[in-house]
Amino acid sequence: MKQTIKRWLLGIGVAIAFIFSIQTQPAFAKAINFQALVYGTNKTSMASGYYVRPASVVVKNHKYVVTMRIKTAKKLSSFPVKVISVNGAKPKNVRKVKDSAGNSNLYYSFVTTNLKKRINEKLTVNIPKVYKATHMITFKFSTAGLPSPV
């Protein structure tokens, strides 16, 4: 009898854990392509080559969470790009990772409910003794096959 109750309680515990894990997981993860454009235009930005494609998108809490990566060569200095804002908010989940060649990889996320509209980003570039500036850039995402976040 005790053995049966233990199994029953264990089964209930596993079922509850499974239900909670489903509710907290994103609905899907999708890789989507994007264009990096000169702010407010349809012209490709010079910065386009530094953005690694595709971006990763998940739906969480009825919103898109988009994760992007900027890769810069070791010779440009360590992490010369800093993202100030994306879509009007500070970037989230910012991670700085050096690859085996010493290149800088800046990962960051932003949240939006609409990837069909263009997303603007403000960033700074600081390459000591060479270049220092603040720029705006516009992203246009390929949303084909992307479900609604609702």
Side-chain angles (χ1 to χ4, degrees):
M1 179 90 155
K2 286 183 181 181
Q3 200 72 330
T4 304
I5 292 173
K6 285 182 182 178
R7 281 190 215 150
W8 184 78
L9 288 174
L10 180 62
I12 295 280
V14 169
I16 290 171
F18 179 71
I19 289 168
F20 280 111
S21 73
I22 289 174
Q23 291 178 346
T24 59
Q25 294 299 317
F28 72 99
K30 183 168 175 83
I32 65 169
N33 202 5
F34 61 91
Q35 294 174 291
L37 305 170
V38 173
Y39 178 68
T41 74
N42 287 319
K43 294 192 304 188
T44 300
S45 170
M46 287 177 49
S48 182
Y50 297 99
Y51 286 87
V52 178
R53 288 159 188 80
S56 173
V57 179
V58 296
V59 173
K60 189 172 183 180
N61 299 325
H62 306 291
K63 296 178 182 170
Y64 295 118
V65 178
V66 182
T67 301
M68 299 180 71
R69 176 168 61 128
I70 300 172
K71 181 177 181 178
T72 51
K74 178 181 178 180
K75 67 182 178 184
L76 296 178
S77 76
S78 184
F79 301 101
V81 178
K82 180 179 180 183
V83 177
I84 306 301
S85 66
V86 187
N87 203 27
K90 289 182 76 169
K92 304 195 180 312
N93 306 316
V94 177
R95 289 184 314 137
K96 295 179 176 181
V97 179
K98 295 272 188 156
D99 63 23
S100 60
N103 300 313
S104 299
N105 290 274
L106 176 68
Y107 295 86
Y108 63 96
S109 300
F110 67 93
V111 177
T112 185
T113 56
N114 186 355
L115 279 174
K116 290 182 180 179
K117 71 174 185 146
R118 293 177 180 222
I119 303 292
N120 294 317
E121 176 176 283
K122 183 177 185 179
L123 54 90
T124 60
V125 180
N126 186 2
I127 303 168
K129 299 180 183 177
V130 176
Y131 185 79
K132 184 174 184 176
T134 299
H135 293 282
M136 293 292 294
I137 191 167
T138 298
F139 297 108
K140 181 179 177 183
F141 289 87
S142 300
T143 59
L146 195 63
S148 169
V150 188

